[in-house]
Amino acid sequence: MKKILGISAFYHDAAACLLIDGEIIAAVQEERFTREKHTPEFPVQSIKYCLQESGLEIDELDAVIFYDKPLLKFERILETYYAFAPKGIMSFLKAIPIWLNSKLFLKKVIKDNLKQIAKYDSKKLNLLFSEHHLSHAASAFFSSNFKKSAILTIDGVGEWSTASIGIGDNNKIKFLKELHFPHSLGLLYSSFTYFLGFKVNSGEYKLMGLAPYGDPNSKDINHFISIIKKHLIHIYDDGSVWLNQKYFKYSYGLKMINEKKWEKIFDLKKRKPEEKIDQTHCNLALAIQKVTEEIVIKMAYHAKKITGSENLCLSGGVALNCVANGKILKENIFKNIYIQPASGDAGGALGAAQAAYYIHFDKKNIKKNDSYDIMKGSYLGPSFSSKEIISTNKKTKANCKKYDDFSQICEIIAKNISEGKVIGWFQGRMEFGPRALGNRSILADPRNMEMQKKLNLKIKYREGFRPFAPSVIFEDVSKFFDISEKSPYMLIVANILDSIKSQLPKDYHKLSLWDKLYFKRSNLQSITHLDYSARIQTVHKETNPRYWELINTFKKITGVGVLVNTSFNVRGEPIVCNPYDAYRCFMSTDMDILVINDFVYFKEEQVDWKNKSKWLVNFKAD
């Protein structure tokens, strides 16, 4: 029996994961404990949790493995600065001291940080390092139910690799092709994220959400695509890309792009954060989304060609582009697709641990039956007992009622949702990865015309254009959406069916962004994006019986087995972790009801329930 701790840290989305004999016992991001979104800091609290959940001490671990190789990464940084010299001297002077003080001596840094957690014999510690894209590939392949599969990983950059095609076979992974830095689809997409005024490494999903506001009939779209292909990128038939470095600064500078050159070729000023979004911004977002989809599909076809596999595993930050994932599915390139729900760097902790178990320790990859979910629904984080909830209630002077019959809670909450109420829903173990999947969620009625506006502006405190995802009981997914496959991790976009669409006026795409947003598009308005698409989560009784029961109860009342599901947090904060986080978020927003396990809280029954400012913090722009 092998016990392995995987760690990701020092870049963004620090996390830890613990495996025992190949089973995922615990996995969590450090941001959930520190409340600093995308924190890169060493995951002290995450490791403490993993050890606590497993009952292990550090000395009992067979291996601790880091998710990439710092010396290879340092080699890439030095070679890149040398290649672009004398450009980037300021960036070089800023970066090198950090490497010399800590990152270059990562073994010592990791060992010293582990001493903060508990005493252990550092001489006996088996410390391993995985390559970045191996960690991504392992997290997808070893979490799937495939015995053999093509593996496609796409992100910004690891050590050298920015995309890779490999083949997973039993307990081995072999890479067949790699795309190397500075040519990167992930960095191209992040460059547009930056140009359109969003934060790199966290705002890419905003760019994806903005794209459907682009006018597909506008000449702008093809014009922007032609500029992208003429000046910024060359796309090869196999999906590999070449980026014209005259227009980018990420290799040597402190910014992603050469702003003046971009503003000249696009005839558009770089958008500042919080600046008004106009139709041109939307059109540019749609253009880069289309280019991204073209590249990803070419990569998928090439992966099929060189592996011959009927299965595909996807991971890396670009695998979180669920619109592109939906296009791969529609192309029918592969019979089966598995996407790692924690595809970003946090999932690297999981993949590193799995790589150590299967590859380093040469353990057989014995697959369960096809219905078994190795990721356990991604419910791999902390849960909290009634005793801990009661302690929080005393601390916050919260008023609530505890129910012994969960079906009664479902009836109360489903009825309130159907009447337009917004619910904070906190159950069981916290999700691992960027999506809330029904255990740390804010829930609402998808039929409500005003709900998207209310959720964005009064609950989430974020940009009003941001879309919301539906949670649908799997049995009913084909009644509302053009998809029959499972999508338990909210990683695939599909269209709503014609039967629930509303007719759009002929001049619809000439309307302003906000007029488009609030025009009735479907019977499930709050989860229908402007292009009639939705980012779908199928809910399964086997993996989350409580959430399934709530949605099914809502169906009995309304005839609709769908809820709006958005993450339980406000802008600038991570998803809530513990009962106190949940209560504070509940009290600082216009949520109406909070449910924490079997405890139900009504807003008007709380002390000072009208005084939101008492609970508000200075939420940072994200």
Side-chain angles (χ1 to χ4, degrees), residues 3-5 16-20 23-28 33 44-58 60-61 117 376 378-385 388 428-432 440 577:
K3 302 169 285 293
I4 301 166
L5 176 69
C17 171
L18 199 136
L19 300 186
I20 297 180
E23 180 185 357
I24 308 170
I25 303 301
V28 65
F33 299 107
V44 171
Q45 299 300 320
S46 299
I47 293 170
K48 283 182 179 178
Y49 161 69
C50 288
L51 293 172
Q52 180 184 0
E53 189 70 29
S54 64
L56 295 173
E57 302 290 338
I58 294 174
E60 296 178 88
L61 298 172
I117 297 167
K376 301 178 180 179
S378 214
Y379 307 116
L380 299 166
S383 61
F384 297 88
S385 65
E388 290 170 300
R429 296 186 72 176
M430 182 175 65
E431 299 91 336
F432 180 55
R440 302 290 187 275
C577 176

Side-chain angles (χ1 to χ4, degrees), residues 384-387 389-390 393 399-406 408-409 412 546 594-602 605:
F384 297 88
S385 65
S386 292
K387 183 179 178 181
I389 297 167
I390 291 168
N393 292 341
N399 292 313
C400 64
K401 181 177 178 181
K402 185 177 187 295
Y403 289 83
D404 295 324
D405 183 357
F406 184 71
Q408 193 175 357
I409 293 177
I412 293 167
R546 284 195 159 206
L594 170 66
V595 183
I596 302 180
N597 291 359
D598 297 322
F599 296 79
V600 179
Y601 309 70
F602 287 87
E605 295 176 2

Side-chain angles (χ1 to χ4, degrees), residues 141 144-151 166-167 303-304 307-313 333-338:
F141 177 61
S144 75
N145 273 311
F146 306 144
K147 292 180 180 178
K148 191 172 183 178
S149 176
I151 308 170
I167 185 93
K304 170 75 173 188
T307 66
S309 178
E310 296 291 347
N311 305 317
L312 175 67
C313 292
I333 306 168
F334 295 89
K335 283 186 178 178
N336 307 295
I337 299 176
Y338 178 83

Side-chain angles (χ1 to χ4, degrees), residues 371 376 379 474-475 486 539-545 548:
S371 63
K376 301 178 180 179
Y379 307 116
F474 178 60
E475 295 84 344
K486 293 180 179 180
V539 180
H540 304 262
K541 199 172 185 178
E542 301 79 16
T543 50
N544 198 331
W548 186 93

Side-chain angles (χ1 to χ4, degrees), residues 86-103:
K87 293 179 180 178
I89 184 64
M90 295 305 296
S91 176
F92 177 83
L93 292 174
K94 183 177 180 180
I96 292 304
I98 297 171
W99 275 91
L100 294 178
N101 288 333
S102 58
K103 292 183 179 180

